Structures are given as C-alpha cells and as structure tokens.
Amino acid sequence: MEALLEAGAAMPKERCRVLADGIKQAMALGLKGEDSDLQMLPSFVTGLPTGEECGSFYALDLGGTNFRVLRVVLGGLSTLIKQMKFVLSPEHMQGEGKVLFNFLAESIKTAVLEFEGELPPPDEALRLGFTFSFPVNQTALNSGTLLKWTKGFNAAGVVGEDVVTLLQNSLNDIGFSQVHVDALANDTVGTLLAMANKDPKTAIGVIFGTGTNACYTEKIEKIEKWKGSAPASGMMCINMEWGNFGQRPESAACLPLTKCDEELDAASVHVGNQRLEKLIGGMYLGELCVRFFNKVVDAGEALQGANCRASTSSMTGEVMGRIESLGTDTQGVAEIMRSELELPDATPADAAILVKICKIVSTRAARVGASAILAILEHMEAIGKPTTVGIDGSVFILYPKFKSRMQDCLKEMLGDAADVISLEVSRDGSGIGAALIAATAD
C-alpha cells in the first residue's frame, strides 16, 4: 500500500523546485503573448485601493455552484455588506447560456428589491462590479469575452461572447436596464484588492476553493504583449489562470501526476485542461481520495477484500477535511465511511488507510499551491521583501493544516526569507474586491 499511495503523489523539495521553475517559464511566455499554458491576462486594473474609497456599490459573484448578489457600502477601511445567494442548477451550468444569464438577471432584480425595498428609477444608474471567475480576454475594464468554461460549467453559446453584454441584454429583457456594470473582474483580482485595502504590502491574490487561480501586480514594461498606453501607475494586475498549468506535455511533466489523476482528468468535463487545478481544487480533492482508496481496495488491502468500491462522487472536500480532522479516531472515520460513502463493511483499519490517503492528497495540494506562489514571488523579484498574499477559498480557510503545510513548504524552499511572506485570509474578495474595482473605475 505504501508504494501505491506515495508513488508519484509525493512532493519533495526537488519536485517543488521543478514546478516553480516550470511555472516561471510559462509566465514569461504568456506575458510575451507566445504559446503558454498560462494566459497571463491583463485585467485593466491599474491601481490598488487607498483605503479612502466610499459609497454604495453592488457586486456579483459567479464562479461556483452559488451566484451571489452583494450590496457593499464602502467607508474607508470599514465595509457594510448585505448578500443573497442563489443556487445554480445543472441546467444553468451546462444548458443554454441564455438560460444562465436570464437567471442571473432575475436574481439581481430579486436581491435589489430585497435590499432597497423597491427598484431604483429608470434614470438612476446602479453601479456594479461583476466577479466572473472564468478565463476572460478583457478588452476594457467592463468588457471581456469568455475564452473557455472551467469548474464544471459548459453553458452553450457563451464562449467567445462578451459576458457583460450577455448580462446587460438579459437585464434589459426584464426591464432592469438601470444596472450598469462598471467593472468586470476575476475573483483573484478582487481578492488582491480586498486584501490590499487593509494591507499595502499585498501584491498577490490567490483562490483555493472550488477551483484555484492567482493574480499579481506586474510592471507594465514586463507585459510585452500589452499594446495599450502605459498607465500612470506603471503597473497592472495580471490574471494568470494558473489552474490550466499542465496542459502541455512539458508542463505536465512538472506536476506530480499519478494514475488516479489521469483517471480523474479523463472523467472530467474538460479533459486535458486545468491539470494543476485538478490537484488543488476543492471540487476534485474528495474524488482523488476515493480513487486512491479504490486502488487499495482493488489490491485487496482494504474492505477485507469485499467486492465493494466507493463512488467517485461520494466524497466532497468538506467530508475529506472532516475525515483528516478525526485522525486517530478511526472508529469515527469508519462511521463516516459507512454512512456517507456507503461502504457498509468499513472497519477502523480501513479508516486508517483513508485518513492516510486524505493527508497525502491534501499535503500534495498545499505544496503544489506553495510552489506556485513561490514562482510568482521569484518572478516579481520579491524574495526577501515583506509581501502579503491575500487568499480566499474554502480549501485554504477551512481545510485542516492547509495553510501551515503551505508555510512549511515555503520555509523549506526559502529558509529564513519565508518569514517575511504572509499568507493571509482575504475574506470575500470576490464581493468586496469587485465593489472596490467599481469604486475606482472612474
């Protein structure tokens, strides 16, 4: 069993180095506009908050199975937030794009009525920031075309279209044209700005949630593919879309891929894409654990040789976290296996195996994430400089020991230089951050 679990999945220091170097090479190619796994997308966000932004703004957050509408009141360093969540159905995520955007428009109208008590008059613009957490080629701060869907979305008729226009058309169709999208942003950019609003040392924003991605502040002269005028700030936030690293054979060779990873990829909606994300994203971690466990079962080393395998959809990242938290309480883990994974013959001995698998998969995820952050820091020549990384997402915030394992990896790679790198929770960056971008849009 040991060889089966550790083979390929281990992430020693040497492999972390290979991954960081591979990501840096892909970053350089992407900034030049050459073929690369990393699209390095200009965000048109050319400044960070001062902490003095004020006013009332709406923010939308689309990037997972929930769509959120938020009313954010900015008052310098303080914020007041109201929000409503709307659950997306499989039809919204994988049906016709018009169905998805009509649902978004109706949800916005419902939320505004809830927050305001009535709709604003037709001549009163409602300013809004739209966090759209998918790869977008932005052509302006409030305009961008979808490059491809990720994270289980595959709504038809949206790829290649301006997502702001699609949303505005649906709003117009229901008589709610007073909504005006001032800013389109990726959730990583929002996370960066939300953290920078509190900590001026912030230079990187990362999401470790359903999926994963990162952005950072780049010197405009390093963005060789940028053909526009240079902003007064001399910088621009770059949306890396780092989850797609590993698409090409040379970058896939930098990742700690196993047979289980290959099987998960083959069964996914977007085969061959988002390979790094499939090592870290919360939507994949539980399935990876199940696939590893089933390999042990197939080898006759678990479930007492019973002809029984766990369903690959039976374990969520949340269940995985609970299992690892229980640790040596193998009786408790066995009960979860019996009741939630539908493995009636599970014993404490089987539970011990599953706990080990969860630890291997989550530790690998944390070290992959830390190696990717290391690549950004080295690219920015920020090693040794106090730097804050703002991070949002359920995996980073809720998964036991995820942050400490990332810190351990950075310490292992950088020594004392890691002490000035702060990994900090940037809560609700996709909400507050979008409002901050809208507030600075003028």
Side-chain angles (χ1 to χ4, degrees):
M1 184 190 75
E2 296 297 324
L4 175 65
L5 296 181
E6 297 289 356
M11 196 67 186
K13 181 178 180 179
E14 296 75 21
R15 192 156 217 163
C16 292
R17 181 73 267 162
V18 169
L19 177 55
D21 288 345
I23 290 175
K24 285 192 294 182
Q25 292 171 12
M27 290 175 70
L29 290 172
L31 289 170
K32 292 177 182 177
E34 299 180 9
D35 288 343
S36 172
D37 286 0
L38 303 183
Q39 300 193 52
M40 307 299 286
L41 302 170
S43 69
F44 287 77
V45 173
T46 58
L48 299 180
T50 63
E52 298 178 359
E53 290 76 15
C54 296
S56 175
F57 302 88
Y58 273 79
L60 310 179
D61 178 19
L62 178 67
T65 54
N66 290 319
F67 173 59
R68 295 190 305 149
V69 182
L70 304 94
R71 184 178 186 272
V72 182
V73 179
L74 299 173
L77 295 177
S78 64
T79 56
L80 178 66
I81 302 173
K82 294 181 179 179
Q83 70 168 323
M84 288 187 70
K85 287 184 179 181
F86 301 87
V87 179
L88 296 167
S89 70
E91 182 183 10
H92 297 138
M93 297 171 67
Q94 300 185 3
E96 291 296 321
K98 183 67 174 175
V99 173
L100 171 62
F101 282 89
N102 285 350
F103 174 76
L104 302 185
E106 291 286 357
S107 300
I108 295 166
K109 188 173 184 179
T110 298
V112 172
L113 278 169
E114 174 69 21
F115 297 152
E116 309 290 349
E118 60 182 1
L119 296 179
D123 60 346
E124 182 179 314
L126 191 155
R127 300 180 65 187
L128 180 150
F130 185 12
T131 298
F132 186 78
S133 304
F134 302 94
V136 168
N137 180 32
Q138 285 199 234
T139 52
L141 185 60
N142 64 346
S143 178
T145 58
L146 177 65
L147 295 172
K148 66 177 181 179
W149 285 115
T150 59
K151 294 179 283 192
F153 280 73
N154 202 25
V158 184
V159 173
E161 300 294 327
D162 188 321
V163 295
V164 173
T165 299
L166 293 177
L167 177 60
Q168 194 66 61
N169 288 344
S170 289
L171 287 163
N172 294 344
D173 289 345
I174 63 172
F176 201 20
S177 59
Q178 52 267 60
V179 170
H180 184 267
V181 179
D182 284 348
L184 175 68
N186 185 272
D187 54 352
T188 56
V189 179
T191 295
L192 171 56
L193 265 69
M195 193 72 231
N197 193 47
K198 298 185 293 184
D199 184 345
K201 298 190 300 297
T202 305
I204 301 171
V206 182
I207 299 292
F208 292 120
T210 302
T212 186
N213 190 17
C215 75
Y216 70 103
T217 54
E218 180 62 279
K219 296 176 182 176
I220 198 70
E221 62 268 21
K222 284 191 173 183
I223 313 173
E224 295 184 35
K225 64 183 177 183
W226 176 251
K227 303 305 180 185
S229 58
S233 65
M235 58 77 69
M236 182 177 290
C237 294
I238 292 292
N239 167 20
M240 293 177 63
E241 292 297 334
W242 78 4
N244 195 51
F245 185 81
Q247 183 179 33
R248 299 168 188 272
E250 58 269 29
S251 54
C254 299
L255 296 174
L257 300 174
T258 68
K259 186 175 181 179
C260 290
D261 295 297
E262 301 295 349
E263 291 172 351
L264 180 146
D265 177 56
S268 68
V269 175
H270 302 287
V271 179
N273 295 324
Q274 304 299 113
R275 298 307 304 273
L276 184 143
E277 180 170 270
K278 289 169 184 173
L279 295 173
I280 302 177
M283 105 177 261
Y284 305 106
L285 291 176
E287 179 179 341
L288 276 171
C289 289
V290 170
R291 290 185 179 277
F292 274 110
F293 183 74
N294 284 342
K295 293 291 184 190
V296 179
V297 173
D298 290 344
E301 297 184 39
L303 297 181
Q304 300 175 330
N307 185 22
C308 180
R309 302 173 95 247
S311 166
T312 54
S313 61
S314 62
M315 186 191 292
T316 63
E318 184 272 332
V319 172
M320 177 184 167
R322 278 195 283 131
I323 287 173
E324 190 170 345
S325 293
L326 286 170
T328 57
D329 179 11
T330 53
Q331 189 60 57
V333 174
E335 178 55 35
I336 291 176
M337 295 172 71
R338 291 190 288 265
S339 61
E340 299 187 42
L341 306 189
E342 299 182 354
L343 297 171
D345 298 322
T347 67
D350 300 321
I353 294 172
L354 186 56
V355 170
K356 181 177 179 65
I357 290 172
C358 290
K359 182 177 180 180
I360 289 172
V361 171
S362 63
T363 299
R364 180 182 69 168
R367 292 178 69 85
V368 167
S371 300
I373 289 174
L374 174 62
I376 301 175
L377 291 166
E378 291 181 340
H379 170 85
M380 296 178 70
E381 299 179 346
I383 302 302
K385 302 175 183 178
T387 305
T388 298
V389 183
I391 306 177
D392 200 359
S394 57
V395 173
F396 181 77
I397 295 172
L398 299 177
Y399 198 92
K401 300 182 180 179
F402 196 87
K403 177 180 177 178
S404 64
R405 288 167 179 166
M406 290 183 66
Q407 291 171 321
D408 290 346
C409 181
L410 289 171
K411 184 74 171 180
E412 187 179 333
M413 298 298 293
L414 295 174
D416 292 342
D419 295 341
V420 295
I421 301 168
S422 298
L423 307 181
E424 300 296 338
V425 173
S426 178
R427 291 190 182 275
D428 203 14
S430 53
I432 297 172
L436 284 165
I437 296 170
T440 57
D442 293 338

